[in-house]
Amino acid sequence: MAVSQSANVLEKAMGHVEGGVTEQNMTNPDRDRQQYGDPSGERMKALVWNGKNSVEVVETHKPKIIEERDVILKVTGSTICGSDLHLYHGAVIQLQKGDILGHEFCGKVDSVGPGVKNLKPGDRVVASFQIACGECMYCQKKLSSQCERTNTNKVENIMYGGRTAGMFGYSHFTGGFAGGQAEYARVPYGDVNLLPLPDDVPDEKGLYLSDVLSTSWNCVVDTGVKEGDVVAIWGAGPIGQMCAEMSFIRGAKRVIVIDGGPAAWRLDLVKSKTPKVETLNYTDLPRGETVTSKLKEMEHGGPDVALECAAGEYAKGIGHKIELALGLETDTSEIINEMITSVKSYGRCGITGVYVGFTNHFNIGGLMERGIRLIGNGQAPVHLYWKDLLKMIQDGSLDSSIMLSHRVNMDEMDTLYQKFDARADNLQKVFVQTRFSDPPAPGTPELTSWK
């Protein structure tokens, strides 16, 4: 919390990078209801961050159109993502109390600004988790997650040597945009950042084009999974699960998924949905055996490809736990080091799990001496992939429903965060409904309630 508050003060003192083209640091209409709230006075439910490990469903004002290419969306579906937990834990800097969270959502168009010509009220759409202008150097190449003009945060620019695009519900570090874990959402550049959903793709499938499907596909493609590869995946959450499925689509010969601890049940879930998958529970390894030694036993020389689908905030060893607690690093290097020592020489390692800052004890020697390719997959450029992935859903070559485990109401999202963080109730990927949602699509989970 102290680091986040300091970063907010620093950003305020330094100002922003020039070149921004959309209103930023508007994470809740109630911060200035005259400027950002709908003149009708209509209120909505939204999930806000209240501090470390604390979120709450509150009533706030419906957002209004403030720029000509804005779209106001009636949210019909949202979800919770593993990266939302980094916000929940306070691991991502520049969160402020009252910020509306959520970066994956779909809905129906409520109203459009005068500059939006390709959408009309009532259209079903899914939002990309990043906010792209559609015009800059990166957007012209469909590398939408690196848009130069929608996030002017100077702290990120200094830390990373550049900035990502603005992102919904992901702190002022990524522009400060209100998220989609709400009943309404303002979508800047809505003509660019919303993809129409056809009638044959229900919300329970189309929603996940927003992030998880594009992120998983980017991880697999960007790390170069190809025909005949043996792939090891760290993390059996939704991203890891879909990376396993997509690795087989890309022609992988074997896929080994690694997880353990309170999340070990996810290995059985992934195996039940994709029987070809092999699993490795690191908590069951006997003394003296490691993930690396086991992988090399399972495959001569180790896998060809390693995919990191977990994140950098989850330390296993006492040393990294202490360093994280003391602020001596922001991310542990343990999984990345396991990947480096596990793959074959000249193997490929892709990082898709969120890493926000700096790490200690990184095995740079193993990387250099054995010719390992370490690839930061980056925030996935959703616009590069989502149309093709939509076609794959339509023709049946990609089934996103294999990860969908629960459906819950918007007003129970605070409980959902607690349970998802605890890896409880076999929660994998969740569909969060609002008052605007259609009834559950055939074959999808019925409503779960903890009240």
Side-chain angles (χ1 to χ4, degrees), residues 26 28-33 36-37 43 59-62:
M26 197 286 287
N28 188 325
D30 273 8
R31 296 207 185 282
D32 188 338
R33 66 185 64 177
Y36 302 125
R43 297 177 69 81
E59 280 205 351
T60 185
H61 280 80
K62 172 186 174 181

Side-chain angles (χ1 to χ4, degrees), residues 47-92:
L47 190 284
V48 300
W49 187 79
N50 277 338
K52 185 175 180 179
N53 297 329
S54 176
V55 294
E56 181 184 8
V57 178
V58 301
E59 280 205 351
T60 185
H61 280 80
K62 172 186 174 181
K64 72 176 183 181
I65 290 171
I66 59 176
E67 294 169 342
E68 67 172 15
R69 291 170 68 183
D70 281 356
V71 170
I72 303 300
L73 207 62
K74 287 181 178 178
V75 177
T76 57
S78 67
T79 187
I80 186 171
C81 175
S83 56
D84 286 322
L85 294 181
H86 310 316
L87 299 169
Y88 183 62
H89 299 151
V92 176

Side-chain angles (χ1 to χ4, degrees), residues 129-236:
F129 76 86
Q130 60 236 206
I131 300 163
C133 73
E135 298 158 359
C136 71
M137 172 179 69
Y138 292 110
C139 286
Q140 289 177 19
K141 299 176 182 178
K142 300 296 184 183
L143 302 177
S144 47
S145 61
Q146 305 301 318
C147 176
E148 297 177 295
R149 305 168 70 205
T150 58
N151 175 18
T152 59
N153 187 282
K154 188 170 283 188
V155 172
E156 185 182 27
N157 197 67
I158 292 170
M159 283 181 64
Y160 297 161
R163 305 177 308 285
T164 64
M167 297 180 194
F168 289 106
Y170 217 77
S171 89
H172 298 261
F173 191 65
T174 61
F177 294 90
Q181 290 171 353
E183 293 179 320
Y184 288 96
R186 167 187 168 251
V187 181
Y189 288 92
D191 53 338
V192 172
N193 296 301
L194 294 170
L195 179 70
L197 291 175
D199 291 341
D200 61 346
V201 177
D203 285 355
E204 292 88 345
K205 291 187 176 181
L207 164 63
Y208 304 110
L209 292 164
S210 187
D211 179 1
V212 58
L213 295 179
S214 298
T215 294
S216 302
W217 188 251
N218 181 63
C219 178
V220 170
V221 171
D222 191 51
T223 315
V225 174
K226 63 183 188 302
E227 188 82 27
D229 276 341
V230 176
V231 180
I233 299 172
W234 274 254

